[in-house]
Amino acid sequence: MDTMIGVIGGSGLYEIEGLADADWVTLETPFGDPSDQILTGTLDGVKMAFLPRHGRGHVHSPTTVPYRANIHALKSLGVTDIISVSACGSFREEMAPGDFVIVDQFIDRTVSREKSFFGSGLVAHVSVAHPVCMRLAAACQAAAEASGVSVHMGGTYLAMEGPQFSSLAESKLYREVWGCDVIGMTNMPEAKLAREAEIDYASVAMITDYDSWHPHHGEVDIADIIATLGANSDNARALIARLPKLLGTTRDTCPHGCDRALDFAVMTAPE
Ligand code: ADE
């Protein structure tokens, strides 16, 4: 099967450069319009599709991002592998602003989003015990290391609804009691929907701040985040540029079964 890498870019990443045959395409889906047009092309001979999660101009909040339309649109283009790139806060001293975390687990605390392609007529329950494809995650780690980015392999991402940041009590709960490593507002339900769509998914979380728990860093604010976003985005672009060579132009079925998630998930009886 041909590899097609889908990159969902977060805050600070609204385009990628260097694609051959670059074209912004407009797609409609049964779940509405995606966040924006999708930039298609090839990089080192590998098919690519880039979607700015918040739209160019940053017009969608974490709650209003059309997650189902985004995943559906990428699937309809033939995307086999999604790399999610997003900004996050850190709960760990050693995970500092500017570092990248290749997330491997999530706690989903989002409450105002459509989270499934299934329901009313066709019911399916996929497993998200292991929501990240570790084959893809390893490629992201290798690409980050080769790009000179300080990268941490593995970490639990708390997905919050937002748009407000956490209170101090919430920040301490997530860090001290729940053992989370990073916090962001967008990776859920994106990761769950990618699994339902049988697309391999990995998440590169780019740290912009220490959330509000850190005694020496005060509250998180947008000025801090924007100050870190520029360098993070350059590093994300460098990481993405290395992925095609690492993943190759063709791929086998996923060794972890991410691309066969529906094989035993559908409950509704066939007609
Ligand atoms: N995105 C970047 N920093 C964040 C934080 N501290 N909380 C939630 N989302 C974030």
Side-chain angles (χ1 to χ4, degrees), residues 87-89 160 165 183-185 208-209 211 225:
C88 71
M160 65 178 293
F165 293 113
I183 182 165
M185 301 183 190
T208 53
D209 56 85
D211 204 47
I225 291 183

Side-chain angles (χ1 to χ4, degrees), residues 60-78:
H60 298 287
S61 81
T63 298
T64 65
V65 168
Y67 294 97
R68 293 195 299 179
N70 287 353
I71 298 296
H72 193 284
L74 294 174
K75 181 77 180 180
S76 70
L77 285 171

Side-chain angles (χ1 to χ4, degrees), residues 164-207:
Q164 303 83 359
F165 293 113
S166 305
S167 69
L168 179 57
E170 287 166 336
S171 195
K172 287 183 167 178
L173 171 77
Y174 303 150
R175 167 185 144 78
E176 292 167 20
V177 185
W178 292 5
C180 299
D181 299 297
V182 293
I183 182 165
M185 301 183 190
T186 56
N187 280 200
M188 282 292 174
E190 196 173 83
K192 289 174 173 170
L193 293 166
R195 180 58 53 82
E196 285 190 347
E198 299 188 316
I199 305 175
D200 295 35
Y201 183 91
S203 168
V204 178
M206 311 183 299
I207 299 175

Side-chain angles (χ1 to χ4, degrees), residues 4 26 33 101 140 207 238 269:
M4 185 168 194
T26 306
D33 295 337
V101 180
C140 291
I207 299 175

Side-chain angles (χ1 to χ4, degrees), residues 16 20 24 42 82 107 119 125 154 170 176 181 195 200-201 221 241 251:
I16 52 173
W24 284 94
T42 61
I82 289 178
I107 293 179
H125 301 277
E170 287 166 336
E176 292 167 20
D181 299 297
R195 180 58 53 82
D200 295 35
Y201 183 91
D221 65 29
R251 48 159 285 182

Side-chain angles (χ1 to χ4, degrees), residues 3-187:
T3 306
M4 185 168 194
I5 303 173
V7 177
I8 303 180
S11 303
L13 192 63
Y14 305 102
E15 35 66 47
I16 52 173
E17 289 139 17
L19 292 188
D21 304 318
D23 190 21
W24 284 94
V25 296
T26 306
L27 292 179
E28 289 167 13
T29 83
F31 302 95
D33 295 337
S35 296
D36 201 336
Q37 293 179 299
I38 299 181
L39 177 63
T40 60
T42 61
L43 205 52
D44 293 322
V46 177
K47 291 189 245 173
M48 304 285 294
F50 173 82
L51 174 59
R53 184 186 285 111
H54 298 281
R56 285 166 289 177
H58 206 111
V59 290
H60 298 287
S61 81
T63 298
T64 65
V65 168
Y67 294 97
R68 293 195 299 179
N70 287 353
I71 298 296
H72 193 284
L74 294 174
K75 181 77 180 180
S76 70
L77 285 171
V79 166
T80 53
D81 300 273
I82 289 178
I83 310 297
S84 155
V85 180
S86 61
C88 71
S90 168
F91 291 129
R92 302 284 156 225
E93 185 80 54
E94 68 279 14
M95 294 180 174
D99 292 2
F100 285 9
V101 180
I102 313 297
V103 170
D104 65 349
Q105 279 295 332
F106 297 98
I107 293 179
D108 184 3
R109 292 258 302 159
T110 64
V111 291
S112 297
R113 306 172 189 192
E114 295 289 351
K115 297 195 181 191
S116 178
F117 292 113
F118 298 99
S120 55
L122 182 60
V123 178
H125 301 277
V126 298
S127 169
V128 285
H130 302 286
V132 163
C133 175
M134 293 316 287
R135 175 190 63 89
L136 262 192
C140 291
Q141 179 190 23
E145 282 172 353
S147 307
V149 181
S150 172
V151 61
H152 307 266
M153 186 57 171
T156 298
Y157 174 115
L158 187 298
M160 65 178 293
E161 185 61 51
Q164 303 83 359
F165 293 113
S166 305
S167 69
L168 179 57
E170 287 166 336
S171 195
K172 287 183 167 178
L173 171 77
Y174 303 150
R175 167 185 144 78
E176 292 167 20
V177 185
W178 292 5
C180 299
D181 299 297
V182 293
I183 182 165
M185 301 183 190
T186 56
N187 280 200

